Amino acid sequence: MGTGEDLISVVIPVYGCETCLDELSKRLKKTLEEIGSEYEIIMVNDGSTDDSWKTIKKLSEENERIKGIDLSRNFGQHHAITAGLDHTSGDWVVVMDCDLQDRPENIKELYGKAKEGYEVVFGKRIVRQDRFLKRLSSKMFYKVYDYLTDQSSDHTIANFSISSKNVIESFRRMREQNRLFPLFIKWMGFKTATIVIEHNCRKEGKSSYNLKKLIILATDVIISQSNKPLRLSIQFGFLISLGSFLYGLFLFIRYFFLEVPVQGWTSVMVSLYFIGGLIFFNFGILGLYIGKVFNETKGRPLYLIQNKTDGFHYRKDRR
């Protein structure tokens, strides 16, 4: 499959999947050795509450090509991915999840496709082994995201991918606080391909993305990638104002020309509450954007590292 000259880096954000790591490392080792290239495996412990870091250190001691990064707290999956990518040395870089839903064996196919002349190859999960609610929320998110950003996305594509060193170096220059790895890669515009892969059932636990976190993530990503909600709020406000003006003109004509009195305050109060709610809604959207600008201007680091394993001394010359 490979030339034997490329160094392949595998970046894995780890959260709450301690019992998967041993099997994951064995299957990765077998697959990468079959490719015939040198490799490094970077596991980023994203503030796991279990003994994931202890397991990562043990695996690193057993295999010098396995490296571990321990973040000071839980920064989120995509910040953990960024931490791993910031420490890669590879000519090609694989990003995958730790729960074995992404099959390590598919790396051979990703790498083979990339060597055909592509800078990025994503795994496409036609049949997802996730709960119905997660599949539905993912599809809905991309529908809304595409509408608000005027793009076309594929909800069957997640993090599992391989990218060239050039792509990863470009990714490292993007330091926004609100992050979503596949969307950043797509935005860059490098030559990209997809291959159909098998999506496995989760080996342990459940996804850390509950409905609340998914809504927060969707809001953050959309606001960071598009100002269309602001334009829509302006258009909606204009339509309400136009409707109010026309309704007022209608009442004026009825009263002065048709001598039909305007009765009661119900319509007036309903209109006031409606307009008041609309104003607060628009202020809320504006406040979200201002809040995101405030967070970006702080200039805080995307993550903080508490510890690293000794494995980072291996192939340091390739940096």
Side-chain angles (χ1 to χ4, degrees), residues 27-72:
R27 290 169 63 181
L28 279 172
K29 180 177 182 294
K30 182 176 184 295
T31 299
L32 294 168
E33 287 178 349
E34 287 176 356
I35 292 175
S37 296
E38 292 192 68
Y39 69 90
E40 62 177 2
I41 300 170
I42 300 177
M43 297 183 177
V44 183
N45 180 42
D46 187 25
S48 292
T49 55
D50 56 14
D51 290 328
S52 292
W53 178 240
K54 186 183 297 184
T55 302
I56 292 172
K57 288 195 296 182
K58 178 181 74 70
L59 294 172
S60 179
E61 292 169 358
E62 295 171 354
N63 185 348
E64 63 180 354
R65 292 176 175 82
I66 297 177
K67 308 174 184 182
I69 298 174
D70 186 26
L71 301 185
S72 61

Side-chain angles (χ1 to χ4, degrees), residues 101-103 106 109-110 122-127 160 195-199:
Q101 286 192 282
D102 296 333
R103 299 177 68 251
N106 287 135
E109 301 167 48
L110 293 171
F122 277 102
K124 187 179 178 70
R125 308 162 300 169
I126 300 298
V127 181
F160 195 21
I195 62 170
V196 176
I197 60 172
E198 181 182 346
H199 192 231

Side-chain angles (χ1 to χ4, degrees), residues 236-293:
F236 191 52
F238 174 77
L239 289 176
I240 294 298
S241 298
L242 179 62
S244 300
F245 172 77
L246 293 176
Y247 183 63
L249 183 62
F250 169 71
L251 294 178
F252 178 84
I253 293 174
R254 287 185 66 195
Y255 183 77
F256 286 101
F257 293 95
L258 302 179
E259 298 183 352
V260 178
V262 179
Q263 298 179 353
W265 292 91
T266 303
S267 60
V268 176
M269 294 303 298
V270 170
S271 298
L272 284 176
Y273 277 112
F274 179 73
I275 298 299
L278 180 63
I279 291 173
F280 277 107
F281 176 75
N282 286 343
F283 278 159
I285 293 177
L286 185 60
L288 287 175
Y289 278 93
I290 294 174
K292 298 308 175 186
V293 172

Side-chain angles (χ1 to χ4, degrees), residues 5-146:
E5 298 176 356
D6 291 333
L7 173 61
I8 298 178
S9 300
V10 182
V11 173
I12 306 168
V14 177
Y15 183 83
C17 288
E18 174 196 353
T19 59
C20 295
L21 299 181
D22 189 59
E23 180 184 347
L24 175 62
S25 63
K26 289 178 181 177
R27 290 169 63 181
L28 279 172
K29 180 177 182 294
K30 182 176 184 295
T31 299
L32 294 168
E33 287 178 349
E34 287 176 356
I35 292 175
S37 296
E38 292 192 68
Y39 69 90
E40 62 177 2
I41 300 170
I42 300 177
M43 297 183 177
V44 183
N45 180 42
D46 187 25
S48 292
T49 55
D50 56 14
D51 290 328
S52 292
W53 178 240
K54 186 183 297 184
T55 302
I56 292 172
K57 288 195 296 182
K58 178 181 74 70
L59 294 172
S60 179
E61 292 169 358
E62 295 171 354
N63 185 348
E64 63 180 354
R65 292 176 175 82
I66 297 177
K67 308 174 184 182
I69 298 174
D70 186 26
L71 301 185
S72 61
R73 63 171 177 83
N74 178 253
F75 284 88
Q77 182 187 36
H78 296 278
H79 287 73
I81 289 173
T82 301
L85 295 178
D86 285 344
H87 290 79
T88 56
S89 306
D91 303 295
W92 293 94
V93 180
V94 174
V95 175
M96 64 184 299
D97 293 339
C98 66
D99 54 15
L100 292 173
Q101 286 192 282
D102 296 333
R103 299 177 68 251
E105 293 76 17
N106 287 135
I107 293 176
K108 290 187 288 186
E109 301 167 48
L110 293 171
Y111 180 64
K113 187 68 176 179
K115 297 298 284 185
E116 293 178 9
Y118 294 98
E119 295 279 354
V120 182
V121 181
F122 277 102
K124 187 179 178 70
R125 308 162 300 169
I126 300 298
V127 181
R128 292 185 58 176
Q129 301 298 327
D130 290 316
R131 293 181 178 179
F132 171 77
L133 181 60
K134 185 174 181 181
R135 297 198 306 269
L136 178 63
S137 61
S138 176
K139 185 178 294 187
M140 290 177 59
F141 163 73
Y142 280 107
K143 288 286 186 184
V144 175
Y145 175 82
D146 288 346

